[in-house]
Structure formats: structure tokens, C-alpha cells
Amino acid sequence: MTDDTPPPGAETPERKPDDTAFKQHVKARSTWLRLFFMLVIVVLYGVSRVVVGAVVVLQFFWLLFTGGTNARLQQLGQALATYTYQIILYLSFNTEQRPFPFDADWPAGPPS
């Protein structure tokens, strides 16, 4: 009787990857829903970048004309920074919590 098991250290023929897991993920509604939310959130990220740019410009001119910073613009800038952080966490798969306006409220301060 022969043993079909290769000796230790011998090369084994390549096995085909299991296609069932791939097919399950392709057919899963949650996968495509995640893609949809990611695309929407990427658009929100682009909008937030424009708003951050406006806050930067406004804050500079505020400083130029008054000699100090505007506290409300600082708060908005902090909220936008936290919002951007939440967006990046979601898009990079570090969290499943979708940022505002989906799962989270608008950020009120630094990230927690």
C-alpha cells in the first residue's frame, strides 16, 4: 500500500482557492451597501475639504483685520477636523460606524 502523503519538506501541488467565500461576499447585500455608503461619504469628504478651505481663508482674514481669531470659526474647524477623522476611519475599514449624517451625530469637539 502506498501513502499519498508527501514527505515533510516536499512541495505540495497548489490548491485552488475556495471560491465559495468569494462568491458569498460578491452576492452579499452588505458588501454592496458598504460600497454605496463609501461612495456617498467620499463625496461628503470632498465637500468637507472645501469647507475647511473656506474656514482657513476666513480665519486668516479675521486675524488680518481684527488681530485675533474667531472662536466660532475655531469650533467649526475643530468639528470639521473630527468629522474628517471619522470619515477616514470609516473609509479605511477601521470602524463600521458611518459618520454624520448616517450613524453618528455632528462632532462637537476633538475625536474621542
Side-chain angles (χ1 to χ4, degrees):
M1 200 192 292
T2 62
D3 186 13
D4 290 339
T5 308
E11 292 185 28
T12 58
E14 291 290 321
R15 281 204 247 170
K16 278 182 108 176
D18 188 13
D19 290 337
T20 57
F22 174 74
K23 288 178 183 176
Q24 287 175 349
H25 294 298
V26 168
K27 291 180 181 179
R29 184 174 182 260
S30 62
T31 303
W32 297 106
L33 195 57
R34 171 82 187 209
L35 176 64
F36 169 76
F37 279 113
M38 288 176 73
L39 293 174
V40 170
I41 290 170
V42 163
V43 171
L44 293 174
Y45 175 67
V47 170
S48 74
R49 290 180 58 194
V50 170
V51 176
V52 166
V55 168
V56 167
V57 170
L58 288 171
Q59 191 71 284
F60 176 77
F61 282 114
W62 192 273
L63 175 69
L64 190 64
F65 292 118
T66 67
T69 58
N70 183 304
R72 288 183 185 227
L73 284 175
Q74 282 180 316
Q75 290 172 352
L76 179 58
Q78 177 62 67
L80 286 166
T82 302
Y83 183 60
T84 301
Y85 177 70
Q86 292 172 351
I87 286 174
I88 299 299
L89 284 178
Y90 182 74
L91 292 177
S92 62
F93 290 83
N94 284 295
T95 185
E96 291 300 315
Q97 184 183 28
R98 295 178 293 246
F100 176 84
F102 301 106
D103 294 338
D105 293 330
W106 181 255
S112 54

